[in-house]
């Protein structure tokens, strides 16, 4: 489905009637330049590659180029066949359902309680130093080792995350902003991908 590369500006709230507040994520979507078009006849599938950087495209900046698979109908919708070479926020609509992908915020080295939601040990009955340790991780005799994949302390965050079924509640064409209901992955200033998805009305988060 059609998508764009954006930059997470941050989170805020929108006040509605009767004092109801809605948490929102503000994403800036500068015009995405189309740098390559792939077709089913030539490449085996239909897709476009978008560039979100400034200036000329360089090989060193390939991280700013993303590929989105689209249908023949979407080619006509975005105007590729009409000579247009940019995708803007105007390609999205209010109340449209999207999914947002990004790299989660890094938390550094964390223990098992924060990283995996482990329960802390007793703070009494002779336990004076081991309140937040992981506890037993292996066996004494057989097999006498720690199994691979054991949940232990380590790096937390900086993982690729995708949140689906998010609704667009506001679009600012002048400032190139898309305002999405709820929280989106990524830290302030990070790159995020916004993709359209098709969902039934009863499956959409209101």
């Amino acid at each position: 489905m059609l998508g764009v590369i954006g930059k997470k500006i941050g989170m805020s709230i929108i006040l509605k009637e009767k004092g109801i507040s809605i948490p929102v994520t503000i994403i800036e979507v500068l015009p995405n330049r189309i740098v390559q078009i792939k077709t089913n006849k030539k490449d085996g599938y239909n897709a476009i590659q978008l560039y979100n950087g400034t200036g000329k495209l360089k090989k060193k900046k390939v991280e700013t180029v993303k590929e989105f698979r689209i249908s023949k109908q979407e080619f006509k919708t975005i105007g590729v066949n009409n000579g247009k070479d940019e995708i803007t926020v105007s390609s999205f609509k209010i109340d449209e359902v999207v999914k947002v992908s990004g790299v989660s915020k890094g938390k550094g080295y964390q223990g098992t309680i924060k990283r995996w939601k482990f329960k802390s040990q007793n703070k009494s009955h002779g336990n004076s130093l081991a309140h937040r340790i992981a506890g037993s991780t292996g066996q004494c005799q057989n097999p006498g080792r720690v199994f691979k994949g054991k949940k232990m302390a380590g790096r937390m965050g900086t993982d690729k995350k995708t949140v689906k079924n998010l609704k667009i509640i506001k679009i600012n064409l002048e400032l190139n902003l898309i305002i999405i209901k709820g929280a989106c992955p990524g830290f302030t200033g990070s790159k995020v991908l916004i993709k359209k998805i098709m969902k039934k009305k009863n499956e959409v988060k209101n």
Side-chain angles (χ1 to χ4, degrees), residues 168-188:
I168 298 175
I169 61 175
K170 197 172 183 180
I171 296 176
N172 190 318
L173 297 176
E174 295 181 0
L175 299 178
N176 298 312
L177 298 178
I178 294 180
I179 300 176
I180 298 176
K181 181 180 178 181
C184 298
F187 54 90
T188 300

Side-chain angles (χ1 to χ4, degrees), residues 3 120 137 150 168 186:
S120 61
T137 58
K150 185 73 174 179
I168 298 175

Side-chain angles (χ1 to χ4, degrees), residues 77-156:
T77 303
I78 63 180
V80 174
N81 295 330
N82 296 327
K84 296 182 180 179
D85 60 352
E86 289 183 344
I87 306 295
T88 64
V89 294
S90 60
S91 300
F92 294 85
K93 299 178 181 179
I94 296 176
D95 292 333
E96 196 166 27
V97 182
V98 296
K99 63 179 180 180
V100 181
S101 302
V103 178
S104 62
K105 185 183 296 185
K107 303 293 184 179
Y109 190 92
Q110 298 295 335
T112 54
I113 292 179
K114 182 172 182 178
R115 192 184 185 198
W116 303 110
K117 310 300 181 184
F118 279 17
K119 183 180 178 181
S120 61
Q121 297 189 30
N122 293 333
K123 295 181 175 59
S124 60
H125 299 286
N127 188 351
S128 59
L129 298 175
H131 300 156
R132 296 178 65 87
I133 69 171
S136 177
T137 58
Q139 302 78 29
C140 294
Q141 294 181 348
N142 188 20
R145 63 185 176 86
V146 179
F147 291 113
K148 291 183 178 180
K150 185 73 174 179
K151 293 182 178 179
M152 301 180 71
R155 177 189 59 82
M156 181 179 179

